[in-house]
Amino acid sequence: MSGQHDHGHTPAAWTAVTIAFIGFCLGSYFTVVAQPWGVAASGVVLVLAAVVGLVMRAMGLGQQPAPARVAKPAVAAEPAPAVEPATPAAAG
């Protein structure tokens, strides 16, 4: 089952994560140097990462959707043949 999932090994995922990583690094830096405008700008970079990832996925560079699984119909058990109770033989 593990071979069926890609888990983000696509250009869209790598690009979005790389941009988000840069945004987090910038946000951390600007937090340490106490520059609120830089923290806000890094938030914009994080939103940009999400948008770029979604656009690249829409372009076909993301993971392909898994095929829909169709449930197999349950096999109905055939009823057991009716067994008539044994009757005493008619005395003749």
Side-chain angles (χ1 to χ4, degrees), residues 15-85:
T15 304
V17 168
T18 301
I19 294 171
F21 179 74
I22 291 169
F24 276 109
C25 289
L26 288 174
S28 299
Y29 172 75
F30 287 119
T31 299
V32 170
V33 296
Q35 294 294 325
W37 62 269
V39 176
S42 65
V44 172
V45 172
L46 292 176
V47 171
L48 177 70
V51 170
V52 167
L54 290 173
V55 168
M56 289 181 72
R57 184 174 138 196
M59 291 172 47
L61 297 172
Q63 184 174 352
Q64 300 301 320
R69 293 186 178 182
V70 178
K72 294 180 182 177
V75 177
E78 293 183 19
V83 178
E84 296 183 23

